[in-house]
């Protein structure tokens, strides 16, 4: 006799394997999509805005501000510099940083952090390039009399954020941040693509829009960039 309590087709049976698999992937894709979007949201907005400012850099007027300082290096600190410059002449040591005592004196007298940046040594002077986001700076010590000269150029906040966008003169920490941000953007885009694929059946415009997003920049590059 047929068991009247047995579940018939589609009655009382659990979700089909395909439905369970779809639910599993939807859950995890949504999870990774919102996590990656949270990680890169603010940075992506900043990179989008600076993309506009970079694209219209010629139309954005800048007013660089230049700070110039001078000082006199004490003789006890100048003598080791002369000896180091003589030893560095034409050798690999020509890129050695300034001695620690000189760097400390500069930080105290000029409020300038030179750090272990490589210096350019010659018979007449020691020159240290100090590039920075949104500007530039340099420091020079004349070996004949110990005259110290420092100049800093600040091109404003827009230039500062533009250089952050490009990773220009930003150091290792910012470089690592850009790498992490780029990975988060990749996760965001890839999970978004899979979510599009899973919902495309109910949204007929999905793939035409994706193709448009691919074809439009390709056509612009082929037709208008030479």
């Amino acid at each position: 006799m047929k068991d009247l309590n047995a579940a018939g087709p589609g009655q009382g049976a659990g979700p089909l394997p395909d439905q369970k698999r779809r639910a599993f992937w939807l859950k995890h894709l949504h999870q990774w999509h919102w996590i990656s979007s949270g990680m890169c949201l603010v940075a992506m907005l900043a990179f989008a805005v600076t993309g506009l400012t970079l694209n219209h850099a010629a139309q954005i007027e800048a007013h660089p501000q230049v700070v110039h300082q001078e000082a006199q290096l004490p003789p006890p600190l100048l003598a080791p510099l002369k000896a180091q410059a003589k030893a560095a002449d034409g050798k690999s040591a020509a890129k050695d940083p300034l001695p620690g005592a000189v760097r400390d004196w500069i930080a105290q007298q000029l409020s300038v952090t030179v750090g272990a940046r490589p210096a350019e040594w010659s018979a007449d002077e020691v020159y240290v390039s100090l590039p920075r986001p949104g500007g530039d700076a340099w420091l020079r010590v004349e070996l004949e009399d110990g005259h110290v000269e420092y100049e800093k150029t600040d091109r404003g906040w827009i230039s500062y954020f533009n250089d952050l966008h490009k990773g220009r003169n930003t150091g290792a920490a910012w470089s690592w941040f850009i790498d992490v941000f780029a990975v988060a953007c990749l996760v965001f885009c890839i999970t978004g693509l899979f979510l599009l694929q899973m919902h495309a059946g109910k949204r007929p415009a999905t793939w035409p829009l994706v193709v448009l997003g691919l074809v439009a920049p390709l056509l612009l590059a082929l037709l208008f960039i030479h």
Side-chain angles (χ1 to χ4, degrees), residues 87-136:
D89 189 22
K91 300 178 182 178
S92 60
K95 291 295 183 181
D96 283 353
L98 292 174
V102 176
R103 299 202 300 264
D104 293 340
W105 182 87
I106 291 171
Q108 183 179 8
Q109 296 295 319
L110 303 177
S111 299
V112 175
T113 301
V114 177
R117 293 175 181 266
E120 299 178 16
W121 298 81
S122 68
D124 301 323
E125 66 178 24
V126 184
Y127 179 88
V128 184
S129 179
L130 301 167
R132 51 192 296 275
D136 198 7

Side-chain angles (χ1 to χ4, degrees), residues 56 64 101 127 160 173 219:
H56 297 278
Y127 179 88
Y160 176 82
L219 288 177

Side-chain angles (χ1 to χ4, degrees), residues 164-195:
L164 291 185
H165 181 109
K166 296 182 288 187
R168 178 178 178 267
N169 302 321
T170 52
W174 186 259
S175 178
W176 277 103
F177 167 75
I178 291 179
D179 288 342
V180 173
F181 166 66
V183 171
C185 288
L186 284 173
V187 173
F188 177 72
C189 293
I190 292 171
T191 53
L193 180 62
F194 280 107
L195 287 170

